[in-house]
Amino acid sequence: MRDSTQHWQKILAEGFSSTDELLQFLNLPNTPNSGLAEKTFKTRVPRGFARRMEPGNPFDPLLRQVLASPEELNEQPGFEKDPLDESSSNLIEGLIHKYNGRVLLTITGSCAINCRYCFRRHFPYNKNNPGRQGWENALSYIAGDAGIKEVIFSGGDPLLASDTLIQYLYERLANIPHVNTIRIHTRIPIVLPERIQDSLLKILKHPRIKTVVVVHSNHPHELSDEVKAASQALRQAECHLLNQSVLLRGVNDDAKTLASLSEQLFAMDILPYYLHLLDKVQGAHHFDVSLKQAQMIYRDLQTILPGYLVPRLVKEIPGEKNKTLCSVNFFANTTE
Ligand SMILES: *Cc1c(COP(=O)(O)O)cnc(C)c1O
Ligand code: SF4
C-alpha cells in the first residue's frame, strides 16, 4: 500500500511544534506566555517554511503568520469562534453546501502549518472526518443534486490526506456525470512542496475531471525554488493554478508587497484569485486590517498591476450565497 509512511510525512513530522523551538532556530529570544496561546491551537511549522524566514528578525512576515502570541488570548468584541456560521450549513458529515453549484468536502482535519489567523482554529474537525463509510453519504448527496458541478476539497489541508483517499474520491466523483471540476484548496504546495510527488500528480491529471488547485500564499518570501518546482509539476499535470491570500496586518498590508506577490506568483504560472479580508475569529484580532484601509491598499494595488494580476478583494458574510466583493464601487456610495 502507498499509505505506508512516505518521505513527505517524515518531513512533516520533523517540523517545529513549539514557539520556543522555532524562535531558537531563528536566534530570537522566547516570547513570554506564548505557551498559553499554543494550548488552544498548537504550533506547527515545516522546517522548509522556517528556512525562508530571516534569522534574528522578530517582525519577519512569515514568522508573524505562525508565531503563537499572548495577544491571541485577549477576547475582543466582534471576534467569534465560528464567524462564518459554518456549523449551520454542515448538515452532512464532511460536506458544506453553502454556495450554488459547489460543495465543499472537508477531507482532513489538520494542516501542515498552523496559521494563527485561521478561522478554522476553533472548527470541530473530529466531527468532519467521516471515514470511508461516511463518505458514501456525502457522495450520494452530490450524486443526487445535478446542480453540483464542482467539488472543493478543503480541510484542514486536503493534501495531507493519503493518496489512497484522494484517488478514491476522484474515482467516485468522476463517475458522477454532472461533476466536472475538482478544486483543491491547499497551502501544501507553498509550505510542504515535497508532498507534490508523482503518485499524487497521477491522480490529479484526470482524463475527464478538471483539477483546479488554489494555493494559499500571503507573502513573496514564501515562494522558494522548491515551491516553484512544485507548481511546475502541477502545471505539467494539467492543473489550473490560482492563489488566495488573506490581508494581514504586519504581514502583507501594503500594495508593494501584494504587487510583488502577484508578480512572483505569475512567474510560477499561478494567477491571483482572492484577497480575503480577515474573518473575525477569536484570537486573530491583531491581524485585522479595517475595511477602509483595505480599500485604500487595494486602490494602490490596482494602479501598480495589470488587471489580471489583481486579486478580487472579498469578504465572507454568513448567509450570503457567494463571497462579497469589497473593492470600492465607483457608482455606489460604500458604507462602513
Ligand atoms: C469560498 C467557498 C466556496 C468557493 O467559492 P468561490 O467563490 O467559487 O471560490 C465554496 N463553498 C464555501 C463554503 C466557501 O467558503
Ligand atoms: S486551513 Fe489554511 S490558513 Fe488555516 S491553518 Fe490550515 S493552512 Fe493555515
Side-chain angles (χ1 to χ4, degrees):
M1 285 292 287
R2 276 208 294 269
D3 276 344
S4 58
T5 308
Q6 295 186 330
H7 179 59
W8 65 269
Q9 287 166 321
K10 241 185 96 207
I11 294 173
L12 180 67
E14 287 163 0
F16 294 102
S17 56
S18 79
T19 51
D20 286 359
E21 229 186 318
L22 175 62
L23 290 169
Q24 197 176 18
F25 172 78
L26 295 169
N27 292 322
L28 285 166
N30 288 349
T31 39
N33 292 331
S34 55
L36 270 176
E38 285 181 289
K39 262 195 189 149
T40 48
F41 190 48
K42 72 175 192 174
T43 294
R44 195 166 208 198
V45 185
R47 284 182 179 262
F49 190 79
R51 278 195 292 270
R52 298 172 220 158
M53 298 172 187
E54 187 193 352
N57 178 5
F59 305 111
D60 182 274
L62 275 52
L63 175 63
R64 181 163 164 85
Q65 294 177 56
V66 296
L67 186 65
S69 139
E71 285 179 283
E72 294 173 22
L73 302 169
N74 305 335
E75 292 198 7
Q76 292 281 321
F79 285 76
E80 301 157 37
K81 283 204 170 160
D82 182 12
L84 304 181
D85 194 25
E86 288 210 323
S87 30
S88 70
S89 19
N90 197 204
L91 302 173
I92 293 185
E93 259 191 324
L95 183 144
I96 300 173
H97 192 184
K98 277 209 296 200
Y99 296 168
N100 201 18
R102 295 148 283 176
V103 297
L104 201 141
L105 295 182
T106 51
I107 73 171
T108 39
S110 48
C111 291
I113 190 164
N114 281 347
C115 315
R116 307 313 296 183
Y117 53 84
C118 182
F119 77 96
R120 291 188 183 274
R121 55 186 292 156
H122 303 290
F123 203 69
Y125 285 124
N126 42 351
K127 282 202 269 167
N128 280 281
N129 288 308
R132 191 61 65 98
Q133 293 289 23
W135 288 122
E136 296 301 326
N137 285 341
L139 288 163
S140 33
Y141 178 90
I142 296 165
D145 183 346
I148 299 169
K149 300 191 176 98
E150 177 170 15
V151 177
I152 301 170
F153 292 179
S154 179
D157 197 312
L159 290 187
L160 273 198
S162 65
D163 290 347
T164 312
L165 176 62
I166 296 169
Q167 177 153 35
Y168 162 78
L169 292 172
Y170 258 78
E171 275 169 15
R172 293 295 305 271
L173 290 167
N175 282 331
I176 302 173
H178 51 265
V179 173
N180 50 38
T181 305
I182 293 177
R183 190 200 312 184
I184 304 175
H185 277 198
T186 174
R187 217 176 169 194
I188 291 262
I190 307 296
V191 302
L192 193 74
E194 297 88 346
R195 203 272 176 256
I196 310 303
Q197 66 204 10
D198 289 345
S199 54
L200 174 69
L201 294 163
K202 251 190 238 155
I203 304 166
L204 305 188
K205 185 176 176 178
H206 194 275
R208 187 178 80 78
I209 298 287
K210 289 245 178 256
T211 298
V212 179
V213 178
V214 183
V215 302
H216 171 180
S217 173
N218 298 317
H219 194 281
H221 291 178
E222 294 173 24
L223 305 174
S224 66
D225 288 343
E226 292 81 4
V227 174
K228 183 164 191 169
S231 21
Q232 291 308 310
L234 286 165
R235 290 280 293 143
Q236 271 160 23
E238 290 166 24
C239 298
H240 298 267
L241 301 182
L242 302 171
N243 179 64
Q244 55 180 343
S245 308
V246 182
L247 186 60
L248 299 166
R249 198 202 317 161
V251 175
N252 59 8
D253 55 338
D254 65 281
K256 237 181 89 186
T257 302
L258 291 169
S260 155
L261 175 62
S262 275
E263 284 165 351
Q264 292 190 43
L265 285 165
F266 185 57
M268 300 184 177
D269 287 327
I270 304 172
L271 282 174
Y273 182 38
Y274 280 141
L275 175 60
H276 293 268
L277 291 187
L278 185 77
D279 294 315
K280 294 201 182 291
V281 59
Q282 214 178 78
H285 54 89
H286 53 297
F287 288 110
D288 197 36
V289 178
S290 73
L291 176 63
K292 211 168 156 212
Q293 185 70 30
Q295 289 174 330
M296 273 161 53
I297 295 168
Y298 195 73
R299 288 205 135 169
D300 283 347
L301 188 62
Q302 286 183 298
T303 65
I304 305 174
L305 291 173
Y308 62 91
L309 290 188
V310 181
R312 298 160 183 81
L313 181 67
V314 290
K315 180 169 181 56
E316 221 170 308
I317 299 175
E320 291 293 319
K321 287 289 175 199
N322 52 264
K323 302 205 198 301
T324 302
L325 286 174
C326 298
S327 42
V328 184
N329 184 342
F330 181 78
F331 298 103
N333 256 334
T334 43
T335 48
E336 221 197 343

